[in-house]
Amino acid sequence: TACQVAAQGGLEESLRGRVMEYINRLDKFDGPDIATLCVSDGLYEEAFVIYKKCDDKKGAIDVLLEHIKDLDRAKDYANACNLDEVWSSLAQAQLAGNQIAAAIESFVK
């Protein structure tokens, strides 16, 4: 797939962005399966966009926390979603990162 070729470095840098372009243009595809492929091939931003596009908020927050490792961005995403399972995932990651006060705040939300 284009995801696998891009992740293996089989595409020159100027063409790697085409994977994201395809993701943004296509509508009828099996999002969770493609996102899983992207994660396994190291295309985390692409996986995040796919999960968001397929309205899989739990999958999207997991990519932000486990692979991109951006707690600030994850908090912004949790604010946008405002779902218990998303806040809980964020809070657990904050606890693991020793951000106790932020984790308590997230658990409360």
Side-chain angles (χ1 to χ4, degrees), residues 59-77:
I61 194 79
D62 287 345
V63 169
L64 282 174
L65 295 171
E66 296 170 18
H67 301 288
I68 298 174
K69 299 184 189 300
D70 188 340
L71 289 175
D72 291 331
R73 194 165 155 203
K75 184 176 180 182
D76 291 341
Y77 185 70

Side-chain angles (χ1 to χ4, degrees), residues 9-106:
L11 292 176
E12 57 186 77
E13 194 62 33
S14 64
L15 297 177
R16 285 181 60 100
R18 302 284 311 254
V19 174
M20 187 66 82
E21 184 181 328
Y22 290 135
I23 291 167
N24 289 326
R25 271 203 269 163
L26 297 175
D27 287 325
K28 298 191 182 347
F29 61 93
D30 190 0
D33 285 345
I34 301 295
T36 300
L37 259 178
C38 287
V39 167
S40 67
D41 291 331
L43 298 170
Y44 306 128
E45 288 295 333
E46 289 81 353
F48 174 69
V49 169
I50 291 170
Y51 281 128
K52 278 180 48 179
K53 190 171 187 171
C54 295
D55 205 32
D56 184 347
K57 292 172 176 50
K58 178 72 168 113
I61 194 79
D62 287 345
V63 169
L64 282 174
L65 295 171
E66 296 170 18
H67 301 288
I68 298 174
K69 299 184 189 300
D70 188 340
L71 289 175
D72 291 331
R73 194 165 155 203
K75 184 176 180 182
D76 291 341
Y77 185 70
N79 274 318
C81 296
N82 201 27
L83 293 174
D84 291 343
E85 67 179 338
V86 172
W87 281 112
S88 179
S89 294
L90 174 61
Q92 291 170 3
Q94 289 168 325
L95 273 178
N98 208 24
Q99 297 180 9
I100 308 302
I104 291 170
E105 183 180 324
S106 295

